[in-house]
Amino acid sequence: MNNKPWLNLYPDSISHALTYENKSLQSMLADTAKKYPDKCAVHFMGKELTYREIYEAALKFSNYLRKIGIQKGDRVAVMLPNTPQSIISFYGILLAGGIVVQTNPLYTEREIAFQMKDSGAKAIVALDILFPRITKVQNETDLQHIIITGIKDFLPFPKNLLYPFVQKKQYGFTVKVEHSGNNHLFKEILRRSELEELEQTANFDEIAILQYTGGTTGFPKGVMLTHKNLTANVKQCAEWLYRAKEGEEVVLGALPFFHVYGMTTVMILSVMKALKIVLLPKPDPDTMLKTIQSQRPTIFPGAPTMYIGLLNHPDLSKYDLSSIDSCISGSAPLPVEVQEQFEKITGGKLVEGYGLTESSPVTHANFLWDGERIKGSIGVPWPDTEAEIRSLDTNEPLPPGEVGELVVKGPQVMKGYWNRPEETAQTLRDGWLYTGDLGYMDEKGYFYIVDRKKDMIIASGYNIYPRDVEEVLYEHPAVKEVVVAGVPDSYRGETVKAYIVVKEGASVTEKELNEYCRKHLAAYKVPRIYEFRDELPKTAVGKILRRQLVEEERKKQNELLDKKA
């Protein structure tokens, strides 16, 4: 049996075996800045910065980090939306020898505290509006330094003067932080720090990033991604996008960089290929449409909800999206009708890919140009990537057509989980990454995902772990039992539903639970639907049958569709 039938599908324009230079991520930025110093690196709300300016700012930031005591191997968190500061701090931390801890700006105090404690981060770079949240939990963590920046710091005149008024209207408050003691201002760091070239000492196999995710237990885990993992995945991505011209393409930076998908396929890829990134700190459909028309991006990595949001916009016909040439969709299944409609409007190509945090993230994708595309398939393994479908019972490779667990192997596969050797051993076996996703391969070598072993919910591209939500709801005094599951949603892909059993003699409303969750959870994790029940389905040993509830929900939705038909 041919164990790699997909290699026969590769067009001549894509190599299935690549070579990798022993280079760190920061050395890639240094190389690009020297080769294309005056090339526009980022466009941010009217402000443009060249690769020379980005690199010099990263050098200044790295020198400051070393001055305040950040040493090789120290963890530094970045809690920013897509802004120039997010790129500068990312590479500045690496230049200082640190490890970047990507942190979602939507996190609540509880979530920040857990991630900072688990990673042992010594410093954090964050937006000004997040400062109160961080300081409330700082004593629970190892955080010694808080570096604060604001959207206005890189806005052009007069937007930089007007933004504080916009911020106060949007959030109801503004934050002022002094540049003193262990609190630092990003703009002051760049203004005061010396520009000194640093020796590129990072080893190819050293950890570059701690990217937090969750597993079958629901506990967030820090995925250790090395310079090799990330540079390999970017090289694979560049090979897939073989028509993209170095130094010429414009990439829409809608995917958040604090998520590994955006970090790799937008930020790091653009730095390697000297592409212009159009940064969107808040990628709502209105902003995306206006930005596409004005900035003319050619590459648009995204999630299905982004494409759906654009297609359903009432003023879509007023905008010209014809500049878009290539899009790879990830984070959730891509509906066929969305793919077809988006390609019709843009004239470009939109294909579905697959990956996970533990693989930096991409392992599979459909062909963009040459080669056959299969609807409903995640495509074929990327260059230098092996994949198999293994039996859940015997762990043996299964023949085409049979459903089992997808396992992958390649240079992009993580080093392991931070301080979690047992979980690492369960997920990484003999170099193979066990994804926890169920799927099959057809006779040609195309792969398909049919279900998830994990109970993870993917809503609007965000990974949501039921246990995170359940733990918060269990702390409510009126809740006796709760189970959280993902249910189908036409826009978000899935949405969060909580099934609640109320304690005897107690009472609580959906509104009260919703307000409670919003205080303790990031907005995207808050349940959109609450269902109160007298009891929950369980096994003989008392385990709640989450899957049964999901199937009941699917059955209800199918019955509604049948009635409409």
Side-chain angles (χ1 to χ4, degrees):
M1 183 177 74
N2 182 2
N3 292 327
K4 302 177 184 178
W6 60 84
L7 294 181
N8 297 324
L9 302 169
Y10 271 49
D12 294 338
S13 44
I14 299 178
S15 171
H16 60 80
L18 305 178
T19 56
Y20 306 95
E21 293 182 80
N22 187 7
K23 282 192 173 182
S24 64
L25 294 170
Q26 60 267 33
S27 67
M28 289 166 56
L29 173 61
D31 290 347
T32 298
K34 288 171 184 174
K35 189 175 181 180
Y36 298 95
D38 300 318
K39 164 76 179 151
C40 178
V42 298
H43 174 96
F44 178 65
M45 300 174 72
K47 174 81 170 181
E48 292 195 340
L49 296 170
T50 66
Y51 272 101
R52 179 196 287 114
E53 290 172 319
I54 291 289
Y55 181 53
E56 289 181 351
L59 284 173
K60 288 182 178 181
F61 189 68
S62 68
N63 287 328
Y64 191 85
L65 289 177
R66 293 195 301 171
K67 182 180 176 182
I68 63 174
I70 298 301
Q71 300 177 5
K72 190 174 181 65
D74 285 345
R75 277 77 64 205
V76 180
V78 177
M79 194 176 182
L80 297 170
N82 289 6
T83 58
Q85 301 96 301
S86 63
I87 302 173
I88 292 166
S89 57
F90 177 90
Y91 285 99
I93 293 164
L94 296 176
L95 281 162
I99 295 172
V100 178
V101 181
Q102 294 283 24
T103 306
N104 192 330
L106 298 177
Y107 275 176
T108 62
E109 294 162 19
R110 174 190 184 127
E111 294 160 323
I112 295 167
F114 174 84
Q115 189 166 313
M116 294 306 102
K117 283 188 285 188
D118 189 75
S119 66
K122 288 187 176 181
I124 186 169
V125 189
L127 276 184
D128 46 13
I129 58 169
L130 303 175
F131 183 71
R133 228 181 283 179
I134 297 167
T135 53
K136 284 181 181 177
V137 299
Q138 186 175 4
N139 290 338
E140 303 173 38
T141 72
D142 294 328
L143 286 174
Q144 298 170 15
H145 301 278
I146 302 176
I147 300 167
I148 291 300
T149 187
I151 296 291
K152 66 180 178 61
D153 287 354
F154 278 86
L155 288 178
F157 178 85
K159 288 182 180 178
N160 58 339
L161 300 180
L162 298 173
Y163 188 78
F165 300 100
V166 175
Q167 186 184 59
K168 189 167 184 178
K169 183 179 180 182
Q170 185 175 0
Y171 299 104
F173 66 94
T174 56
V175 176
K176 288 189 177 180
V177 181
E178 296 294 327
H179 185 75
S180 63
N182 290 341
N183 294 332
H184 316 267
L185 295 179
F186 196 90
K187 63 180 180 180
E188 286 300 312
I189 290 173
L190 298 189
R191 188 174 71 85
R192 301 182 186 189
S193 294
E194 296 178 2
L195 180 61
E196 179 186 350
E197 191 86 21
L198 298 171
E199 185 181 352
Q200 307 299 317
T201 57
N203 187 289
F204 204 37
D205 292 314
E206 287 179 351
I207 302 167
I209 310 294
L210 280 188
Q211 186 77 42
Y212 274 78
T213 182
T216 53
T217 64
F219 292 111
K221 296 187 287 289
V223 174
M224 297 185 287
L225 298 178
T226 66
H227 290 270
K228 180 180 179 180
N229 293 151
L230 292 161
T231 54
N233 205 225
V234 171
K235 186 80 180 284
Q236 293 164 334
C237 184
E239 186 71 13
W240 217 251
L241 293 165
Y242 59 89
R243 287 190 186 177
K245 298 175 182 177
E246 183 174 295
E248 295 185 22
E249 307 295 337
V250 179
V251 184
L252 188 66
L255 288 169
F257 296 166
F258 57 79
H259 189 288
V260 67
Y261 180 25
M263 180 183 69
T264 300
T265 64
V266 178
M267 183 176 71
I268 303 176
L269 172 68
S270 296
V271 167
M272 187 187 83
K273 300 287 287 185
L275 311 181
K276 175 181 175 181
I277 313 172
V278 180
L279 294 172
L280 294 179
K282 190 177 179 183
D284 58 89
D286 272 332
T287 302
M288 283 197 288
L289 284 173
K290 291 173 183 175
T291 303
I292 292 170
Q293 175 145 308
S294 64
Q295 295 301 313
R296 311 301 292 160
T298 54
I299 301 174
F300 177 12
T305 49
M306 291 181 177
Y307 306 120
I308 292 170
L310 295 180
L311 292 174
N312 291 326
H313 195 281
D315 295 327
L316 175 64
S317 60
K318 297 179 182 178
Y319 293 90
D320 178 7
L321 310 186
S322 62
S323 66
I324 296 172
D325 179 64
S326 51
C327 311
I328 295 181
S329 175
S331 296
L334 176 68
V336 173
E337 60 271 22
V338 173
Q339 179 188 41
E340 293 176 344
Q341 192 177 354
F342 195 79
E343 289 188 336
K344 183 178 179 181
I345 286 173
T346 63
K349 297 295 183 182
L350 169 61
V351 298
E352 183 171 359
Y354 169 86
L356 57 165
T357 306
E358 290 87 343
S359 59
S360 304
V362 189
T363 64
H364 292 67
N366 271 278
F367 297 108
L368 273 162
W369 299 292
D370 302 321
E372 185 181 6
R373 295 188 301 167
I374 303 294
K375 293 175 183 177
S377 167
I378 60 170
V380 301
W382 270 14
D384 292 335
T385 305
E386 296 181 53
E388 291 181 355
I389 302 296
R390 298 267 181 97
S391 167
L392 297 178
D393 299 320
T394 67
N395 198 38
E396 293 296 319
L398 293 172
E402 291 197 27
V403 173
E405 182 171 2
L406 173 63
V407 299
V408 296
K409 179 190 284 188
Q412 72 270 51
V413 169
M414 68 171 181
K415 187 173 185 175
Y417 295 118
W418 179 256
N419 291 335
R420 283 175 168 77
E422 291 183 4
E423 286 93 334
T424 299
Q426 291 172 3
T427 306
L428 287 180
R429 304 178 220 166
D430 297 323
W432 290 93
L433 172 65
Y434 283 69
T435 68
D437 288 331
L438 302 179
Y440 66 93
M441 180 184 72
D442 65 19
E443 293 283 352
K444 292 182 179 179
Y446 286 89
F447 285 76
Y448 303 77
I449 299 297
V450 298
D451 205 347
R452 289 191 294 272
K453 278 175 62 182
K454 305 171 185 177
D455 292 319
M456 183 179 74
I457 302 163
I458 302 178
S460 298
Y462 288 108
N463 293 350
I464 302 166
Y465 299 92
R467 184 163 179 168
D468 289 348
V469 186
E470 289 165 359
E471 285 178 350
V472 168
L473 284 167
Y474 265 121
E475 291 175 4
H476 192 284
V479 173
K480 178 184 178 182
E481 288 183 331
V482 59
V483 65
V484 169
V487 297
D489 182 274
S490 58
Y491 178 68
R492 301 179 82 204
E494 286 183 305
T495 200
V496 183
K497 180 171 181 177
Y499 299 83
I500 307 288
V501 176
V502 178
K503 291 177 181 176
E504 190 175 346
S507 65
V508 66
T509 65
E510 179 176 332
K511 182 180 178 182
E512 289 169 343
L513 284 178
N514 190 56
E515 290 174 352
Y516 178 80
C517 285
R518 289 193 178 278
K519 290 179 182 177
H520 300 285
L521 290 167
Y524 66 89
K525 294 183 181 180
V526 175
R528 300 297 178 91
I529 308 168
Y530 297 83
E531 181 176 323
F532 294 93
R533 292 194 169 203
D534 294 329
E535 60 182 12
L536 297 172
K538 299 173 185 174
T539 65
V541 295
K543 183 180 178 182
I544 297 173
L545 293 168
R546 188 194 317 270
R547 218 68 202 133
Q548 182 175 320
L549 295 169
V550 173
E551 289 306 317
E552 287 176 11
E553 196 70 29
R554 291 185 188 279
K555 187 177 179 181
K556 286 180 191 175
Q557 294 212 7
N558 288 336
E559 288 173 353
L560 286 173
L561 290 172
D562 289 341
K563 285 180 182 178
K564 288 180 180 179

